[in-house]
Amino acid sequence: MSEQYNDRELARAGAWLRGEHPPGKLGRLTMVGAPAHSASLTPGRYDLAPAAIRKALDEFTTFDINDSVNLLDLAMRDAGDLDVGAAPADLLEVVRRAVSEALTDSDALVMLGGDGTIAYPGAMALEDCGLIAFNSYLDTGTTSGGLNSGSTIRALLDRGFPGERIVAIGIQSFANTEAQMNVARDAGIRVAGAAQVRERGIRRVVGDALESFTEGLVYVHAGLDVLDRAYAPGAPGSRPGGLTPGELNDGVRLCGEFARVRVLDIAGLDPERDTTGHTALCAAACLLNFASGVHRRCSRLSVARNL
């Protein structure tokens, strides 16, 4: 073990992920790669994303200056990558098993996609959960040709997932069709567009969504195409006018604080298009901010136990 990682003041997030530190005692996180990439509407090498995000974590420390917390207090386990070579429709059992195993001894699980189809087996694996989707797209396209990244939410609806338990945040104008919006509206999906986020503020929008889930667990999907194209050139679905990285980070940090949130996926990065590495850095920051929220959650529980 390098002397660098014996010192909390110098710890890097990549080393935290690799376990190059004494395990934290406040709580536990598990991370797993889910490099599904065969069903995106925009072809790309999404299967390379988990490795790119792991590498990007070396650019960060473990200290969150906003909340004065150090992620070394949390034990992190990298469970490697899932075997997602099967057809998208066959991913359910692979992901269900991974989610079940991770949550037996972890406060939360982070899945690194892969393309956005990972949200379908991920949300189904939690069973009777709520879903918050940070996304530019409604993903309510037709499933007649099978599951793809533009029909993930529609596939959930087709499997009986209640639309009123889905909140879509960051949806963009001129990225979706009227028919897709009608599907979402008819299903009872609550939509907070990018313009609404800017008007009301991300914390209020996400806070209202979280407070609406009064029972059951919550799954969070962070599609990197929710970001403005200037920040996420490696997310092929991103468009001008999307959220800023700061807004996404604040949103997922708040989700991490919420005890019912057990799984976050981060999807939609194609490293071959990410020529500057900006998008991988955004993905890594998203992971760390979610972990910071989990840290705050565990801290509150620890205080409550000691009262």
Side-chain angles (χ1 to χ4, degrees):
M1 182 183 295
S2 168
E3 290 184 359
Q4 178 181 6
Y5 303 118
N6 289 327
D7 189 344
R8 285 171 62 93
E9 300 299 320
L10 299 176
R12 311 298 293 185
W16 171 65
L17 177 67
R18 293 187 293 270
E20 298 175 19
H21 62 86
K25 300 182 183 301
L26 185 64
R28 179 181 295 274
L29 278 173
T30 295
M31 195 204 75
V32 64
H37 72 291
S38 61
S40 178
L41 290 180
T42 306
R45 291 302 308 272
Y46 304 96
D47 56 315
L48 302 176
I53 298 170
R54 288 183 176 102
K55 182 178 180 181
L57 285 168
D58 281 323
E59 301 294 323
F60 296 87
T61 73
T62 60
F63 181 65
D64 182 353
I65 197 170
N66 292 312
D67 292 329
S68 295
V69 301
N70 197 316
L71 297 183
L72 291 185
D73 297 328
L74 298 175
M76 167 60 93
R77 180 174 70 93
D78 185 350
D81 288 352
L82 300 177
D83 180 3
V84 293
D90 298 327
L91 284 176
L92 182 57
E93 184 55 35
V94 174
V95 174
R96 188 195 302 275
R97 186 166 56 251
V99 169
S100 177
E101 291 175 357
L103 296 184
T104 57
D105 63 354
S106 296
D107 296 284
L109 168 68
V110 178
M111 289 199 296
L112 302 181
D115 66 36
T117 56
I118 196 62
Y120 168 74
M124 290 298 295
L126 270 193
E127 299 182 358
D128 300 322
C129 68
L131 169 62
I132 293 178
F134 294 93
N135 209 338
S136 286
Y137 303 92
L138 292 164
D139 291 345
T140 53
T142 179
T143 56
S144 60
L147 177 68
N148 60 58
S149 61
S151 65
T152 305
I153 299 300
R154 182 71 168 269
L156 287 171
L157 297 175
D158 290 348
R159 286 290 296 264
F161 198 104
E164 61 271 16
R165 290 186 63 79
I166 300 174
V167 182
I169 298 175
I171 302 300
Q172 286 217 56
S173 294
F174 311 111
N176 301 273
T177 69
E178 185 175 7
Q180 290 165 351
M181 184 62 203
N182 288 337
V183 170
R185 184 183 293 114
D186 292 345
I189 295 172
R190 288 164 284 166
V191 177
Q196 186 178 355
V197 169
R198 284 188 286 272
E199 178 182 348
R200 300 183 64 220
I202 189 68
R203 291 189 63 83
R204 185 175 177 186
V205 169
V206 174
D208 287 350
L210 291 169
E211 289 176 6
S212 73
F213 297 120
T214 57
E215 59 183 19
L217 303 180
V218 179
Y219 183 99
V220 179
H221 166 64
L224 294 171
D225 59 32
V226 77
L227 295 173
D228 189 285
R229 183 75 167 200
Y231 303 109
S238 61
R239 297 289 182 267
L243 302 189
T244 68
E247 288 171 326
L248 179 58
N249 290 342
D250 285 348
V252 296
R253 188 189 305 115
L254 192 58
C255 289
E257 292 184 42
F258 192 67
R260 296 184 188 278
V261 172
R262 301 300 304 279
V263 182
L264 165 74
D265 80 47
I266 303 172
L269 165 64
D270 177 359
E272 289 193 339
R273 297 176 186 236
D274 194 27
T275 56
T276 63
H278 288 172
T279 319
L281 290 173
C282 288
C286 181
L287 185 161
L288 295 174
N289 277 273
F290 177 75
S292 183
V294 173
H295 186 292
R296 293 193 67 181
R297 175 204 310 184
C298 293
S299 295
R300 288 197 300 267
L301 290 174
S302 178
V303 170
R305 285 194 295 265
N306 291 326
L307 290 178

